[in-house]
């Protein structure tokens, strides 16, 4: 945890005094082993980052005086459309792409997505939020990404993609593509990545018919956890 | 599994007949549910890739006629020096970088590597090999990477780094660096990546004094599993 993410409810007065209790209190204790007077790096969810100087540590809570000064790191101008991965992988990817600065994540269905994945508890809002917070704390960011679930491919593609990709460079990762993944793109991007095993041809054709450009990352087939950061890092 | 990796011992005659038994037989059965006559994508460890046409499936074994035709995908001209990550993360990274085509992996000590990590069973040769094979099978490659363990930072740095980095571009990932990570490098690279929490300044200074260039990947701190593919994908 490189930053402690605070929420408005954590503040107990208008002068920037924060009280932490419960899980986050114990986590700070375990990870930082802080003493009164120590400064922690903190950020306000949706706001600035700064420091919290610990004023007191009691048995079940601690208080700190928070000073918020700086903007969080810049976001990536990216909308990530990802075929729903298996739950264990999804947890790590949510953390990873949040840390990288992705703010728009759309989890979609695809022919090769196992139906049971849509029933996973990982998709419950509080569990998604937990991974996003871990990602923000990793990267010292404060702006929670938006995560949308689209369990029906065709209506999502036909009804929502056209406005979604407007004014962006829409890319679909496809190992069979002729064009390599572009580098150092200086404009907003919409990036679609299929499931393990890939999008089926119908899905690729549908996205291409809506304006997507098929791009590849070489002749190696990478797993989803590797391909997602690899593509994002190659593009930006 | 996008390719079944075969070893010389799997061949039962000189005409390319292979017999699979045990764990790999059951794995092929579970994953591919093959019938006699089906073709699987196969590769010979250290050699070519091709197809295996199944000739018979019995209760505890199957046989196939293997035809090896094509070279495996090109390797990356990269030596990866990685501060030993925690065991769970190491397993995934070995798979991931093997799939990306890294052939030289050196796991080193660093001040912030927990000593207990060096005792992990994940470091036993057969367990390392298992992850490497999974990475090769993921990427349809056949050339096993070499993995070296260097549990002492200073002698490794002083005695081995100079010859190791000769004729390569030596890069050390350091969030405090002034230079961004280079893109589309067309020469061999040696890339050093620290542990969670980073190399300490002494280690960075030591590597820089030996010729390394400190480079950063932006102002976000990423976890090791994210930063490794991100850096490799940015560089090549």
């Amino acid at each position: 945890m490189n930053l402690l993410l605070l929420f408005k409810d954590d503040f107990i007065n208008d002068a920037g005094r924060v009280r932490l209790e419960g899980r986050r209190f114990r986590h700070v204790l375990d990870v930082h082993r802080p003493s009164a007077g120590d400064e922690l790096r903190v950020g306000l969810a949706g706001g600035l980052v700064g420091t919290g100087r610990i004023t007191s540590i009691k048995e079940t809570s601690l208080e700190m005086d928070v000073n918020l000064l700086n903007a969080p790191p810049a976001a990536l101008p990216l909308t990530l459309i990802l075929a729903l991965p298996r739950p264990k992988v999804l947890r790590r990817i949510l953390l990873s792409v949040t840390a990288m600065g992705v703010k728009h994540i759309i989890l979609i269905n695809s022919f090769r997505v196992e139906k049971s994945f849509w029933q996973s508890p990982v998709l419950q809002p509080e569990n998604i939020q937990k991974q996003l917070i871990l990602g923000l704390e990793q990267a010292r960011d404060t702006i929670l990404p938006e995560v949308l679930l689209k369990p029906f491919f065709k209506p999502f593609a036909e009804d929502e993609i056209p406005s979604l990709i407007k004014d962006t460079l829409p890319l679909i990762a496809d190992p069979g593509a002729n064009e390599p993944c572009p580098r150092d793109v200086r404009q907003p991007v919409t990036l679609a990545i299929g499931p393990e095993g890939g999008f089926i041809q119908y899905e690729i054709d549908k996205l291409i018919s809506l304006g997507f450009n098929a791009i590849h990352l070489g002749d190696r087939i990478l797993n989803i956890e590797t391909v997602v950061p690899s593509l994002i890092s190659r593009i930006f």
Side-chain angles (χ1 to χ4, degrees), chain A:
Chain A
M1 189 170 75
N2 300 309
L3 171 143
L4 173 66
L5 195 67
L6 302 172
F7 295 84
K8 290 232 165 92
D9 286 351
D10 297 324
F11 286 79
I12 57 175
N13 70 21
D14 291 343
R17 176 66 57 96
V18 157
R19 185 184 296 141
L20 279 192
E21 302 171 307
R23 187 190 63 82
R24 282 186 301 152
F25 163 68
R26 288 190 302 275
H27 185 73
V28 169
L29 231 58
D30 289 349
V31 172
H32 297 281
R33 308 175 187 278
S35 313
D38 285 0
E39 287 199 337
L40 299 181
R41 207 180 277 256
V42 301
L44 176 62
L48 301 177
V49 299
T51 56
R53 176 183 290 274
I54 294 177
T55 55
S56 69
I57 306 180
K58 294 187 181 141
E59 201 144 315
T60 62
S61 69
L62 65 77
E63 292 187 11
M64 61 175 101
D65 282 338
V66 165
N67 198 8
L68 297 171
L69 290 166
N70 301 309
L76 288 180
L78 173 65
T79 297
L80 178 64
I81 299 176
L82 189 63
L84 183 65
R86 65 181 58 248
K88 258 174 65 176
V89 172
L90 174 62
R91 289 175 62 234
R92 294 199 290 267
I93 288 184
L94 287 175
L95 194 164
S96 167
V97 301
T98 301
M100 292 186 88
V102 180
K103 299 302 178 193
H104 303 283
I105 302 164
I106 305 177
L107 300 170
I108 68 169
N109 198 37
S110 151
F111 184 79
R112 293 205 179 100
V113 169
E114 282 185 32
K115 283 204 176 63
S116 65
F117 295 173
W118 288 103
Q119 262 64 56
S120 164
V122 174
L123 288 179
Q124 282 165 17
E126 64 273 22
N127 291 333
I128 288 181
Q129 170 113 341
K130 193 173 151 196
Q131 295 310 113
L132 304 181
I133 290 175
L134 288 173
L136 294 180
E137 291 182 335
Q138 169 71 41
R140 298 180 179 164
D141 195 357
T142 65
I143 314 292
L144 278 163
E146 169 191 66
V147 178
L148 303 175
L149 308 185
K150 301 289 173 181
F152 301 100
F153 178 85
K154 199 175 165 201
F156 167 69
E158 293 181 351
D159 302 343
E160 304 191 46
I161 288 260
S163 60
L164 199 66
I165 65 174
K166 203 166 165 289
D167 301 323
T168 76
L169 174 65
L171 302 174
I172 175 173
D174 171 15
N178 291 318
E179 290 297 313
C181 177
R183 297 170 191 269
D184 203 9
V185 174
R186 307 289 179 101
Q187 69 177 101
V189 170
T190 305
L191 172 64
I193 302 177
E196 302 283 352
F199 284 122
I200 59 171
Q201 198 58 46
Y202 162 81
E203 295 162 342
I204 294 173
D205 292 346
K206 170 64 81 178
L207 292 178
I208 288 175
S209 78
L210 291 165
F212 277 76
N213 305 281
I215 53 96
H216 70 78
L217 201 58
D219 53 358
R220 291 171 174 275
I221 303 185
L222 303 177
N223 62 30
I224 296 298
E225 287 160 277
T226 307
V227 88
V228 170
S230 294
L231 281 166
I232 296 174
S233 177
R234 179 72 63 99
I235 293 170
F236 294 105

